[in-house]
Amino acid sequence: MSATAHALELRDLTKRYGQFTAVDAVSLSVQRGAFLTLLGPSGSGKTTILMTIAGFVAPSAGMVLLDGSDITPLPPERRDFGMVFQGYALFPHMTVAENVAFPLRVRGLSRADRDAKVRAALDLVQLDRFADRRPSQLSGGQQQRVALARALVFDPALLLLDEPLSALDKKLRAELQEELKALHRRVGRTFVNVTHDQDEALSLSDQVAILNHGRLIQLGAPEALYEQPRTRFVADFLGKSNFLQGLVQESHLGGLRVQSGATTLVQQAPRALRPVAGSPALLSLRPEKIALLAAGETAENMVEGHIAAWSYLGAGFLLVVRTADLGEIRVTLPSWRAPIAPAEGLAVRLGWSADAAVPVLDDAA
Ligand SMILES: Nc1ncnc2c1ncn2[C@@H]1O[C@H](COP(=O)(O)OP(=O)(O)O)[C@@H](O)[C@H]1O
Ligand SMILES: [Mg+2]
């Protein structure tokens, strides 16, 4: 397949249904060949945005631009984007090859041209051996790969995916995630994927757009979003986090000194995220950034507590530690780093460094 990747931009995209705003002034751009994921809870507007990009839903305001040109007025068939949905909707009476050939037949390609392209597309998803089977003779994962081949066979400008893996069981989903990532690399096209699965978003994407109530909350590379969430919602939705509340005592170049009851927290903070002295602070602290301190060991931040609950996770332990000033703190420890056998009621000291947490805005509803 020839490699012409396209850049996509949404500018103040808005969709209203009566009084209800499903998509609220969303602006973002996707670079040529990038993999963007729209991530958000159910009802956050993901599908509506995708349908607007595809041309099936007309926005109430705003624009969709492809390589800088406004395509908002174009009907779906003039956009020529590939689409894959959750229910793969293959034609049951057609073979795999006929399913994949369908978009080419619609476009009036000759038999010979069709055959070559179908073979290439099936090759791409490693289903060349299954060309003559019917969908009912394939597993769910294989059917979804046929749907991918069908969406890519006509060399679309963009590939739009709406929760393509959500109908599959966990293990198969993880396998197909890896395949989808490899496929993206192989075809070099711009992909826009929709999911409510945070692991999928983190592992697949170059960029993730976090949505809530139709609004874009934060856009960034997976690592940047995970390590520097701007709000409580982002920290909470993408992974798990503890939220520590306190009052800012000092705010300066080195960071923050935050008081929470009798506990003093020191926290690095870039200027933009530094609340002023006297204001409340909310810190997001990931469970894997906290250590159990051995006797005599110190850390920049320390708090005492006792284990209120714990569970074995296979790769490690989850501890719920009850503290006087900071409430319950969740800690995950790889088993090789757990200095004690966890037990309910056990007194422990937790420690973390000044760069472990991030100050976040409190956007909790
Ligand atoms: N055709 C429609 N008419 C009225 N409300 C709609 C319509 N389509 C979607 N909505 C509403 O818009 C919101 C966003 O929907 P959707 O984009 O499907 O969310 P998501 O894909 O993130 O689950 C939901 O509250 C949904 O009920
Ligand atoms: Mg949806």
Side-chain angles (χ1 to χ4, degrees), residues 42-43 45-48 86 162-163 194:
S42 174
K46 306 180 296 294
T47 294
T48 307
Q86 176 179 340
D162 195 353
E163 312 230 11
V194 160

Side-chain angles (χ1 to χ4, degrees), residues 48-68:
T48 307
I49 293 175
L50 207 72
M51 288 301 167
T52 313
I53 297 171
F56 293 112
V57 166
S60 313
M63 286 199 272
V64 180
L65 299 102
L66 194 70
D67 297 331

Side-chain angles (χ1 to χ4, degrees), residues 33-38 82-86 124-126 141 143-152 159-166 168 171-195 197 199-206:
F35 194 123
L36 171 80
T37 293
L38 307 176
M83 297 201 73
V84 181
F85 301 98
Q86 176 179 340
L124 205 57
V125 296
Q126 282 140 24
Q143 290 183 41
Q144 202 52 311
R145 276 150 62 195
V146 177
L148 278 168
R150 189 176 59 181
L152 285 167
L159 187 66
L160 306 177
L161 304 142
D162 195 353
E163 312 230 11
L165 310 182
S166 66
L168 306 172
K171 193 155 181 294
L172 197 56
R173 200 159 66 219
E175 273 172 38
L176 269 186
Q177 277 170 18
E178 278 174 34
E179 253 181 63
L180 194 57
K181 191 169 182 167
L183 186 68
H184 173 250
R185 244 182 262 120
R186 252 177 278 146
V187 300
R189 290 312 159 90
T190 311
F191 281 31
V192 181
N193 180 45
V194 160
T195 187
D197 179 337
D199 294 329
E200 180 182 321
L202 287 177
S203 67
L204 281 179
S205 322
D206 298 310

Side-chain angles (χ1 to χ4, degrees), residues 56-118:
F56 293 112
V57 166
S60 313
M63 286 199 272
V64 180
L65 299 102
L66 194 70
D67 297 331
S69 351
D70 183 8
I71 59 164
T72 324
L74 287 189
E77 64 276 11
R78 298 268 314 277
R79 301 187 189 198
D80 222 23
F81 298 160
M83 297 201 73
V84 181
F85 301 98
Q86 176 179 340
Y88 2 90
L90 298 175
F91 305 112
H93 58 286
M94 292 185 192
T95 65
V96 165
E98 287 163 353
N99 265 281
V100 176
F102 185 78
L104 303 176
R105 269 199 4 231
V106 172
R107 286 167 176 78
L109 266 74
S110 74
R111 179 82 206 228
D113 285 350
R114 278 189 337 237
D115 286 352
K117 282 181 188 286
V118 167

Side-chain angles (χ1 to χ4, degrees), residues 175-338:
E175 273 172 38
L176 269 186
Q177 277 170 18
E178 278 174 34
E179 253 181 63
L180 194 57
K181 191 169 182 167
L183 186 68
H184 173 250
R185 244 182 262 120
R186 252 177 278 146
V187 300
R189 290 312 159 90
T190 311
F191 281 31
V192 181
N193 180 45
V194 160
T195 187
H196 62 268
D197 179 337
Q198 38 162 295
D199 294 329
E200 180 182 321
L202 287 177
S203 67
L204 281 179
S205 322
D206 298 310
Q207 295 275 302
V208 179
I210 305 226
L211 297 154
N212 195 22
H213 300 306
R215 273 189 290 262
L216 176 63
I217 309 296
Q218 193 172 353
L219 172 73
E223 206 182 322
L225 288 183
Y226 188 83
E227 296 292 337
Q228 280 119 36
R230 207 152 44 210
T231 75
R232 180 199 273 257
F233 177 80
V234 174
D236 207 27
F237 197 74
L238 210 60
K240 297 196 167 67
S241 206
N242 296 289
F243 295 99
L244 312 180
Q245 281 171 311
L247 198 66
V248 179
Q249 298 293 326
E250 279 178 46
S251 179
H252 49 68
L253 231 58
L256 305 171
R257 186 171 295 277
V258 175
Q259 198 65 32
S260 193
T263 303
T264 305
L265 303 173
V266 290
Q267 175 59 48
Q268 290 179 8
R271 190 196 185 94
L273 296 177
R274 226 182 284 145
V276 296
S279 61
L282 185 68
L283 304 178
S284 161
L285 176 62
R286 300 285 188 193
E288 71 274 15
K289 301 219 168 178
I290 305 171
L292 276 194
L293 300 178
E297 197 183 346
T298 62
E300 286 166 297
N301 291 289
M302 292 183 283
V303 66
E304 292 179 355
H306 62 269
I307 297 177
W310 65 276
S311 41
Y312 178 62
L313 302 176
F317 295 99
L318 167 69
L319 310 182
V320 181
V321 175
R322 196 161 291 148
T323 70
D325 293 324
L326 300 174
E328 281 187 352
I329 299 185
R330 273 150 212 280
V331 182
T332 47
L333 297 172
S335 357
W336 58 270
R337 231 180 51 189

